[in-house]
């Protein structure tokens, strides 16, 4: 498999994002909400570079439709265990493709009246976007290839790769 983003580049970028977030959220004790399962590796590395107090939580959703053609119809599999009302919330996503999944989660979380709601995504496939979503922090913009590793899977495999690779088709 061809490497798209090496372990070293990931490490450097994740640290940059964590320091940026740490600067922006001083005294705010933000809640970082990881979207399962893909974001678990990114979230784990991100929080270890954070320099401010914060909390973490997880949410899990399943999208109907095939992997390569998201339908935008999303089912909540696991909800947050924290009440986010009045809190500064940062959604942590592995990759944004059509944006339909994140759009659903964002709207769902907004109904709970957080004080603020922003998004950090490691990867962004901008060209594929179907709905506009404000992204405060983006790691890498990538071309329209299917990628795996660093939490991202194909058929539940390859999540453990320490780098991002293009899946050969
Ligand atoms: P969206 O709703 O189309 O933005 O899809 C987002 C979700 O699809 C992501 O959270 C990933 O779980 C998955 N996904 C999209 N593109 C890829 C990819 O290239 N590799 C692995 N998973 C992907
Ligand atoms: Mg995901």
């Amino acid at each position: 498999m061809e490497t798209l983003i090496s372990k070293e580049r990931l490490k450097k970028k994740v640290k940059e994002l964590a320091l940026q977030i740490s600067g922006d959220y001083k005294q705010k004790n933000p809640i970082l909400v990881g979207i399962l399962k893909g974001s678990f590796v990114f979230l784990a590395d991100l929080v270890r570079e954070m320099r401010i107090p914060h909390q973490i939580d997880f949410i899990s959703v399943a999208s109907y439709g095939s992997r390569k053609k998201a339908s935008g119809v999303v089912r909540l599999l696991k909800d947050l265990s924290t009440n986010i009302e009045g809190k500064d919330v940062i959604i942590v996503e592995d990759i944004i493709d059509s944006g339909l999944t994140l759009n659903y989660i964002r709207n769902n979380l907004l109904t709970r009246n957080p004080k603020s709601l922003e998004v950090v995504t490691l990867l962004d496939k901008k060209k594929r976007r179907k709905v506009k979503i404000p992204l405060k922090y983006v790691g890498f913009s990538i071309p329209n290839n299917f990628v795996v590793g660093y939490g991202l899977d194909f058929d539940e495999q390859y999540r453990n790769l320490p780098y991002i690779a293009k899946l050969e088709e």
Side-chain angles (χ1 to χ4, degrees), residues 111-124:
T111 65
R112 308 177 196 196
N113 300 314
K115 186 170 174 207
S116 68
L117 183 62
E118 300 290 354
V119 177
V120 54
T121 185
L122 180 66
L123 306 175
D124 182 13

Side-chain angles (χ1 to χ4, degrees), residues 70 93-95 97-101 125 145-147 152-153:
E93 184 55 305
D94 51 356
I95 186 165
D97 189 30
S98 69
L100 293 168
T101 309
K125 283 188 194 169
N145 293 298
F146 197 85
V147 294
L152 289 132
D153 74 305

Side-chain angles (χ1 to χ4, degrees), residues 4 10 16 38 45 71 73 75 78-79 98 104 113 117 122 127 137 148 160 169:
L4 185 67
L10 285 170
E16 270 173 37
D45 282 349
S71 61
V73 184
R75 185 163 54 104
K78 182 220 168 285
D79 202 352
S98 69
Y104 170 90
N113 300 314
L117 183 62
L122 180 66
K127 288 236 169 82
Y137 309 98
V148 294
N160 60 312
E169 325 228 356

